[in-house]
Amino acid sequence: MGLVTLDNINPAIRSMEHVVRGPLFLRAVALEKELKQGSAGKQFSEIIWASVGDSHAMGQQPITFLRQILGLVTYPPLFEDPSIPEDAKERARTLLSSCMGNSTGSYTDSVGIEIIRHHLAQYITERDGGIPSDPDNVMLTDGASAGIKSLLVLLRCNFEDKRTGVMIPIPQYPLFRASITELEMAQISYHLDEEKNWAVDVEELKRALENAKKTCVPRVLVIINPGNPTGQVLTRENIKEIIKFAHDKKLIVFADEVYQENTYGSNEFHSFKKVMTEMGPPYNSLELCSFMTCSKGYLGECGFRGGSFEVVNLDPGVKAMLMKSLTVQTCPNIFGQIITDIMAAPPKLGDPSYDLFIKEKQERLQSLQERADIVTEALNSMKGLACTPVQGAMYAFPQLRLPPKALDAAKAAGQEPDYFYALQLLEKTGICMVPGSIFGQKPGTYHLRTTILPQLELLKVMLKKLRQFHEQFMDEYK
């Protein structure tokens, strides 16, 4: 036996879970390998990955302007290519001039390239109707996840015998639960209101907070808007209620706003910064950390790990400590930074690349809108499934209303009922969805999370397979 064993590693790591990529995901990976080798013995020929919010894995094509710039900054001979528009070349020259040695192989500032942070601050200012954003409060990271974790590390502090408490929504994105466990902080769960389109109920926040005070010191309130896995968009009035609560209870707000480009129909995204600023004193003094990414929206560039966060009303001394902690990581990856720059400062009207850029952006967002409607309608047409409208983000989170016989079968198999359903769905159709028990849910309810990301024709195939499976499953266990 080696010197390092499961008994003498960090116990927090043993306890940590990121279950979106848990046993069901691993089974799907194994099945995909078996299908490629011709040894699966299944009636289907491919895995449909409806489990992960990865647009490009589901067939979305990259934005031309973005990839032209990535090509230019990594392979300078492309500057001689006449097929690449001049505005793309000019942007690439500007970005290269901001790099040490004019090379994307060099380190950058620990918080990201200065001109990109300026562009991002301008983007936030325009998004919020002119409310200013200070580039010194904007920091680039390897995806939003890295920024969230960096700030949790900063705020981890025991108060005598009590841990720092972090309020997270249920259902929640598993990054938060995993990070809280790893950092040995205290999770404070509050339930979203499914009957009100997964709104945040302030009375539920109060209940969760008061219960938690017995065992920890609540400091952070996490809000995911638009919602993951629930696909809701919070109303302005609901956000105002949350801000009043956070201010009154002296909580720091983490606004996970990575899906802000993904809103559908008449649903409008309101940033926490804009709402709290417009509320005026005393609420505009709320301490806020808001997060963005290039992995979502119309770009969907998950693999390049581009992200950022803005801190508002953070004590200057605390911000200095945050900057110091970020220097330990040397710098964010440069390609994620460059993609963030394109997101923040895309081609302008009159630029050679503008027309194609706008066409590609609108096509992607309109397609997501169409798929959101199709998925919502299809799920609600199946007996035993009930789905709130997909208002934003990239997911539907339908409730499974399973018959008692299915619940008994799941119990006999030692599985959560929604896991039992999702595993059979995978084994019989090749569709990989995520059981709601992974995200947390009210006791006695069962859900699935599916993305709306498969391209339209594949999505129709997936929904047809799901319907056939669901009807057979419900008939078998009726």
Side-chain angles (χ1 to χ4, degrees):
M1 183 178 293
L3 296 175
V4 181
T5 70
L6 286 176
D7 294 327
N8 61 25
I9 64 169
N10 184 344
I13 300 297
R14 289 203 307 268
S15 302
M16 185 179 70
E17 293 181 309
H18 193 354
V19 282
V20 170
R21 292 176 177 263
L24 199 71
F25 176 87
L26 296 176
R27 174 57 184 149
V29 170
L31 263 177
E32 190 168 57
K33 290 180 180 177
E34 291 172 20
L35 288 168
K36 289 177 180 177
Q37 295 166 357
S39 60
K42 299 292 185 181
Q43 297 298 310
F44 51 88
S45 59
E46 64 176 336
I47 300 297
I48 300 178
W49 292 99
S51 56
V52 181
D54 188 342
S55 301
H56 287 231
M58 287 285 91
Q60 179 172 306
Q61 295 302 302
I63 296 289
T64 301
F65 182 74
L66 186 153
R67 291 303 180 92
Q68 286 171 335
I69 289 174
L70 286 175
L72 289 161
V73 299
T74 51
Y75 188 59
L78 288 177
F79 280 102
E80 306 304 318
D81 188 336
S83 70
I84 299 177
E86 190 55 39
D87 59 330
K89 293 177 180 177
E90 185 58 35
R91 174 65 68 84
R93 290 188 190 100
T94 300
L95 289 166
L96 284 172
S97 70
S98 300
C99 299
M100 297 285 288
N102 291 309
S103 172
T104 51
S106 63
Y107 289 128
T108 73
D109 291 343
S110 296
V111 291
I113 295 171
E114 184 176 5
I115 191 173
I116 299 177
R117 292 190 292 115
H118 277 270
H119 286 161
L120 197 49
Q122 290 168 5
Y123 171 90
I124 294 169
T125 299
E126 292 172 11
R127 178 201 69 188
D128 291 341
I131 294 168
S133 172
D134 184 345
D136 287 340
N137 290 336
V138 176
M139 303 173 198
L140 299 169
T141 55
D142 286 335
S145 301
I148 290 167
K149 193 165 181 181
S150 293
L151 282 156
L152 285 174
V153 169
L154 180 76
L155 296 174
R156 180 189 179 278
C157 177
N158 287 351
F159 297 84
E160 295 180 354
D161 61 337
K162 290 185 176 181
R163 295 176 293 165
T164 293
V166 182
M167 301 185 70
I168 64 171
I170 299 297
Q172 52 87 36
Y173 176 50
L175 163 75
F176 290 102
R177 181 170 63 193
S179 298
I180 290 166
T181 302
E182 181 184 3
L183 296 173
E184 298 181 302
M185 301 169 88
Q187 176 179 314
I188 306 170
S189 301
Y190 66 90
H191 288 277
L192 300 177
D193 191 339
E194 185 170 9
E195 293 183 1
K196 294 182 180 177
N197 246 11
W198 301 107
V200 177
D201 181 355
V202 172
E203 290 304 313
E204 169 63 7
L205 291 178
K206 292 176 182 176
R207 179 206 63 77
L209 183 78
E210 292 306 315
N211 284 346
K213 284 181 178 178
K214 302 167 190 173
T215 56
C216 69
V217 178
R219 296 188 77 195
V220 180
L221 172 59
V222 173
I223 304 291
I224 306 175
N225 179 48
N228 176 11
T230 43
Q232 89 283 13
V233 178
L234 297 181
T235 66
R236 182 183 179 84
E237 285 306 309
N238 200 183
I239 292 172
K240 288 172 69 175
E241 292 172 341
I242 296 164
I243 289 169
K244 288 178 181 178
F245 169 81
H247 178 270
D248 293 346
K249 302 300 182 182
K250 296 180 171 53
L251 297 171
I252 303 159
V253 171
F254 277 25
D256 181 343
E257 298 175 329
V258 301
Y259 295 98
Q260 59 190 261
E261 293 272 6
N262 299 105
T263 59
Y264 312 120
S266 60
N267 299 288
E268 182 180 358
F269 169 77
H270 303 280
S271 77
F272 266 74
K273 182 185 177 185
K274 184 172 191 284
V275 174
M276 76 178 219
T277 303
E278 291 176 346
M279 289 171 72
Y283 304 111
N284 58 356
S285 63
L286 185 72
E287 290 169 78
L288 171 73
C289 308
S290 60
F291 304 91
M292 296 173 61
T293 184
C294 303
S295 298
K296 312 304 176 184
Y298 61 91
L299 293 176
E301 294 282 6
C302 298
F304 282 107
R305 310 309 301 138
S308 63
F309 63 85
E310 180 184 28
V311 293
V312 182
N313 296 323
L314 202 63
D315 178 88
V318 173
K319 193 172 85 172
M321 292 298 103
L322 173 62
M323 302 275 279
K324 180 176 73 172
S325 71
L326 292 173
T327 62
V328 175
Q329 303 169 36
T330 309
C331 70
N333 86 83
I334 200 163
F335 302 114
Q337 293 188 54
I338 288 170
I339 291 171
T340 300
D341 189 63
I342 308 309
M343 178 192 74
K348 294 182 174 64
L349 182 65
D351 290 347
S353 299
Y354 177 80
D355 288 343
L356 177 59
F357 178 86
I358 289 298
K359 176 177 179 290
E360 291 178 339
K361 176 181 176 179
Q362 290 177 343
E363 284 176 351
R364 284 150 183 74
L365 292 175
Q366 287 168 1
S367 176
L368 284 165
Q369 166 78 75
E370 182 180 2
R371 284 176 272 162
D373 292 341
I374 288 172
V375 169
T376 301
E377 183 179 352
L379 292 173
N380 281 321
S381 71
M382 301 181 202
K383 187 177 180 181
L385 284 176
C387 186
T388 57
V390 180
Q391 298 176 323
M394 298 173 170
Y395 313 100
F397 198 64
Q399 185 175 149
L400 272 170
R401 294 170 178 169
L402 299 173
K405 189 176 176 183
L407 302 181
D408 292 341
K411 185 176 181 180
Q415 298 169 354
E416 291 289 339
D418 45 18
Y419 183 93
F420 178 76
Y421 180 100
L423 181 59
Q424 290 198 42
L425 176 66
L426 172 64
E427 295 288 354
K428 294 181 179 179
T429 69
I431 299 171
C432 185
M433 293 184 181
V434 190
S437 48
I438 280 173
F439 302 97
Q441 53 198 346
K442 282 190 175 180
T445 67
Y446 312 104
H447 297 79
L448 293 172
R449 189 191 77 168
T450 178
T451 72
I452 61 170
L453 294 179
Q455 296 299 298
L456 190 56
E457 290 309 310
L458 180 59
L459 183 67
K460 291 177 179 177
V461 170
M462 182 187 89
L463 291 171
K464 183 179 179 181
K465 285 185 170 187
L466 174 63
R467 181 182 298 278
Q468 291 170 344
F469 167 82
H470 182 74
E471 290 174 353
Q472 291 168 2
F473 181 94
M474 297 298 281
D475 185 59
E476 180 180 353
Y477 293 102
K478 68 182 179 182

